[in-house]
Amino acid sequence: MNTITALFYLFSVVLLFAALRVITARSTVHAALYLVLAFFNAACVWMLLEAEFLAIALVLVYVGAVMVLFLFVVMMLDINTDRFRENFWRHFPLAGLVGAVIALEMALVLMGGFDLPDAPQPDAAAVAMGNTRLLGIEIYTKYLYPLQVAAVLLLLAIVAAIALTLRRRKDSRYIDPAAQVRVRKADRLRVVRMPPVVERPAAAPAGEEGKA
C-alpha cells in the first residue's frame, strides 16, 4: 500500500463518518459542521484524483459560501428539532425504503461506471489545455442544459430560504418599505392654526397680595 492509497482510505473513512453524523446529530448546527467536514474530505479525495479545480470549487463555493448561508438560516429560523423527532419511528419504514432505493440506484450507476474497458489516453493537445479548460468545454457544450436545470434548482432553493426567513414574529419590529414610499406629507404632518393672543391670568385680590 502506497501513500496515495493510505490517504484515500483515510479521507474516505472520515468522509463516511461525517456523512453519517450529518443525519444522526441532534443539533442542526452540529450537523452543518459535520457537513463542512464531509466537504473538506471530498475535496481531498478529488485532489488525489488530480481534479484540483473541482476540489478548490468545492471548498470555496460550498464550504465558504453555501454552508455559511446554511448556518445563518438555521440560526435565524431557530427550528425546534424536538418536534420533528416525535414521529420519527412512524415515518422510518418509508424513509428506509426511499434510502434503500437511492442506495440501489447509486450502486447500479457505480457498478456500471467501474466496469469499463481501458480508458483512452488523452492526446497532447488536451493535456496541454489542462483539466480546468476541458471541464469548462464539456460543461458549456455537452452538459449545458443540465447546468441550466441545476441553476434553476439552486435559484428555487434561494427563494425558498428567503421565504422561510420572512415569517412574521410577534417579538420583532419591522418597517414596510412600500408604505414608506407611498407616504404623503398630509399623512404625517398637520398644520393647526392657533390664535396669536394669549389671555392674561386673572389678577389676585388686594388682600391676598398684602399677605404675600
Side-chain angles (χ1 to χ4, degrees), residues 159-177:
V159 173
I162 295 174
L164 289 175
T165 55
L166 287 179
R167 62 179 183 178
R168 294 181 179 270
R169 297 183 179 179
K170 298 180 180 179
D171 56 347
S172 62
R173 298 180 180 180
Y174 62 93
I175 299 175
D176 189 3

Side-chain angles (χ1 to χ4, degrees), residues 50 118-131 134:
E50 297 182 359
D118 295 335
Q121 297 295 329
D123 53 359
V127 174
M129 284 192 298
N131 56 4
L134 291 175

Side-chain angles (χ1 to χ4, degrees), residues 38-64 130-140 143 147:
F39 284 153
F40 268 116
N41 286 272
C44 293
V45 173
W46 280 350
M47 289 290 290
L48 294 178
L49 294 175
E50 297 182 359
E52 299 86 2
F53 175 76
L54 293 177
I56 295 173
L58 180 63
V59 173
L60 294 180
V61 175
Y62 283 93
V63 178
N131 56 4
T132 304
R133 186 172 180 180
L134 291 175
L135 179 63
I137 293 173
E138 289 290 328
I139 288 177
Y140 290 102
Y143 299 98
L147 178 66

Side-chain angles (χ1 to χ4, degrees), residues 9 38 45 64 75 109 117 142-143 150 167 174 178 186 192-193:
Y9 282 114
V45 173
M75 290 185 291
V109 172
K142 186 177 180 181
Y143 299 98
R167 62 179 183 178
Y174 62 93
V192 179
R193 295 184 177 276

Side-chain angles (χ1 to χ4, degrees), residues 17-87:
F17 170 74
L20 181 64
R21 290 296 297 161
V22 168
I23 60 176
T24 58
R26 298 185 63 86
S27 175
T28 52
V29 178
H30 292 171
L33 294 177
Y34 278 116
L35 189 57
V36 171
L37 179 61
F39 284 153
F40 268 116
N41 286 272
C44 293
V45 173
W46 280 350
M47 289 290 290
L48 294 178
L49 294 175
E50 297 182 359
E52 299 86 2
F53 175 76
L54 293 177
I56 295 173
L58 180 63
V59 173
L60 294 180
V61 175
Y62 283 93
V63 178
V66 176
M67 288 311 304
V68 174
L69 178 62
F70 282 176
L71 288 174
F72 272 106
V73 170
V74 167
M75 290 185 291
M76 288 177 64
L77 290 178
D78 193 15
I79 301 175
N80 186 12
T81 56
D82 295 333
R83 187 180 62 182
F84 296 108
R85 292 191 179 93
E86 292 178 354
N87 299 323

